Each structure stands twice: as structure tokens, then as C-alpha cells.
Amino acid sequence: MGLDSVQVLGITVHCLVEDDVLRIVLDRIKHREPTQIVTVNAEFVMIAQHDDRFRRVLAAADVATPDGAGVVWAARRKGATIQRRVGGSDLIWSLSRQAAQYSQSVFLLGAAEGVAASAALRLQAAIPGLTVAGTHAGSPARSEEDAIVDLVRTSGADILFVAFGAPRQDLWIARNLPRSGAVVGMGVGGSFDYLAGTARRAPVWMQERGLDWLWRLIQQPWRWRRMLALPRFVWNVLRDGRANSEAGKGLI
Ligand code: UDP
């Protein structure tokens, strides 16, 4: 596919914009080639530092978008040209719009009971002609896997959005996408909650300033411990940069 990429703390991030993802998805669906999209944010990178399975899934993903101000900042520090973040909550809209245009269907899997169904209604209300092949809350438990795969397969969905949170959603897709019959699989974190209105996205001015994390901390303060991944990420990137420049000096 020849996508430009950059390594952020050992994790591959593709230097692309939303339109590139749409183009790749169109092509992959046309050729029925299973394609996993991961939206790499700072938390993903930090989890992958000590979770080998997640690291392997991220490395094997066909498309790894830069999701979040932290990853965009770190990628640019390494000289990558990245215009802006390309995140799951935006991609779910643009992929659904494209799906409607090309008569492809989507399946929404995950989140709390009823949330995927309301998220689907919201998408369908906004996107005339969108085919939702199915929705299911389910869980990432291994015991449910075969039944969920059957559900997706029988639905005939082309695109599968999975909201089980990282890393479980991405591991789930890596294990099951080919046998689910869906062509494209993308982990979408809390996006169904935003669509269904059970959680609110940061105001645009905050998103534009890379302050989604602050909004999330205000809305969901109980996540503070998980969010410590962000300062740890910044610290690691700065330390990594210093180590590289010192190694560079040694060579001169
Ligand atoms: N979730 C789920 N099953 C689980 C764990 C999480 O359906 O076993 C859902 C949760 O309800 C939420 C989504 O996964 O809708 C994303 O969770 P989180 O906010 O932790 O993910 P993030 O957006 O931080 O990646």
C-alpha cells in the first residue's frame, strides 16, 4: 500500500489524512481484502509498551491513524508530516457516509446495552440510505466470540465498528475479522457513547487545541488514573528524543 509511516515509541503511525483512509477502505472492500484500522492515541502507545499482544496487533494493522494531539505532536517531532489527528469518532461518520454512497453496510458492536442501537439510529437519521446490517452490545469475552462472529457473518456487514475499549477491541478484531465476513474492522472506543448521547464530545474549540483529554478528565474524573498515561507518554517521547540525539552526537 506504500503508506508513509513514523515510529512513536516503537509503534507505527501512518502519515495520512481522513481521505486516504476512505480511499483505502473503498479499495479494500472492492477487493474483499480484510483490513484492520487502528486509531493510535497516546494511551494505545503506552499500553503497547508492556502488552506484547497489543503491540503485535498494532504492528500488523493495515492502517494506523494518528489519533490525538499527543501522537501528532510526537510524530511531528520525528519529522513526520501530519496535518491533523484522524480519530475513530470522526472516521465512524466519514466511513458511514461513504458506505451509504457505495451501498455498503456497517455493523456496530460493543458498548453498554442499547448504546450501539441508539448510535445506529443517530447515524441513519443523519445519513440517508445508510444500511446498518446489525448492532449488538455483547462483550469481548472469549465465550461470546463464536456467537458474535456468527451474528456479524449472517448480517453480511462490510464494515465492523467495535467499541470494547483498547486494547480489547483491537485484539478482538485481529482474531475475528477474517472469519466475520466483514472486510474492514475498526476499534472505536467511546464513539458509540458520543453518537448515542450517553457521553459528550469535547467542544470543537477544545478539540482544535488538542484538549480532548482535559474535557474527558472533567467529564469522567474517575478515569484520572488511566489518564496518567498521557504525561507518561510525553515524558517518554522527550526522553526518547534526547537519547536519540545523544546517540547521534556519538556518531559524529
Ligand atoms: N466497553 C464494552 N465492553 C467492555 C469494555 C468496554 O462494551 O468490556 C465499551 C464501553 O461501554 C465504551 C467503550 O467500550 O462504550 C469504550 O470504552 P472506553 O471509554 O474505556 O474506551 P476509549 O474511548 O478510552 O478507548
Side-chain angles (χ1 to χ4, degrees):
M1 200 160 26
L3 286 171
D4 280 345
S5 68
V6 59
Q7 297 289 308
V8 173
L9 299 177
I11 305 304
T12 299
V13 175
H14 291 135
C15 308
L16 42 67
V17 294
E18 198 163 2
D19 277 349
D20 296 319
V21 183
L22 294 178
R23 195 173 30 78
I24 293 164
V25 163
L26 207 54
D27 183 66
R28 293 299 188 103
I29 294 183
K30 187 168 151 203
H31 297 102
R32 307 300 300 172
E33 287 172 50
T35 298
Q36 178 162 10
I37 302 174
V38 292
T39 59
V40 183
N41 63 27
E43 202 178 343
F44 277 45
V45 173
M46 293 317 286
I47 298 171
Q49 300 302 304
H50 52 79
D51 182 332
D52 289 345
R53 277 184 314 169
F54 189 41
R55 194 165 52 239
R56 279 198 296 273
V57 165
L58 294 181
D62 304 276
V63 178
T65 72
D67 182 7
V71 165
V72 170
W73 163 76
R76 285 184 183 151
R77 268 177 66 88
K78 297 197 82 177
T81 308
I82 291 184
Q83 288 172 18
R84 50 180 298 153
R85 65 178 286 214
V86 182
S89 346
D90 294 316
L91 279 174
I92 201 167
W93 278 106
S94 48
L95 285 172
S96 298
R97 271 193 217 100
Q98 176 169 275
Q101 196 184 343
Y102 290 89
S103 307
Q104 298 154 359
S105 59
V106 300
F107 193 109
L108 281 68
L109 170 65
E113 203 55 54
V115 171
S118 335
L121 287 177
R122 167 93 195 281
L123 285 174
Q124 283 183 302
I127 308 174
L130 174 67
T131 305
V132 175
T135 65
H136 182 62
S139 94
R142 292 277 187 150
S143 54
E144 288 191 29
E145 218 158 276
D146 287 349
I148 295 178
V149 166
D150 276 350
L151 206 61
V152 178
R153 178 170 279 286
T154 353
S155 80
D158 298 299
I159 301 176
L160 174 62
F161 298 124
V162 185
F164 287 149
R168 279 178 294 190
Q169 59 191 17
D170 307 281
L171 298 178
W172 196 98
I173 293 169
R175 282 195 304 272
N176 298 304
L177 183 65
R179 65 189 190 116
S180 77
V183 182
V184 174
M186 177 171 79
V188 295
S191 303
F192 295 171
D193 296 297
Y194 296 134
L195 284 171
T198 43
R200 277 170 54 212
R201 263 190 98 175
V204 174
W205 71 266
M206 283 183 109
Q207 292 181 37
E208 279 170 356
R209 285 165 182 75
L211 293 174
D212 297 67
W213 61 272
L214 179 60
W215 174 259
R216 215 148 183 198
L217 191 60
I218 296 165
Q219 297 284 311
Q220 305 172 331
W222 59 89
R223 292 170 64 106
W224 70 271
R225 199 182 286 278
R226 259 181 72 180
M227 290 185 62
L228 288 177
L230 294 172
R232 287 202 191 103
F233 172 81
V234 172
W235 171 249
N236 277 272
V237 169
L238 293 173
R239 207 180 47 184
D240 188 50
R242 222 177 20 240
N244 285 344
S245 70
E246 268 154 29
K249 271 185 220 145
L251 290 174
I252 298 169

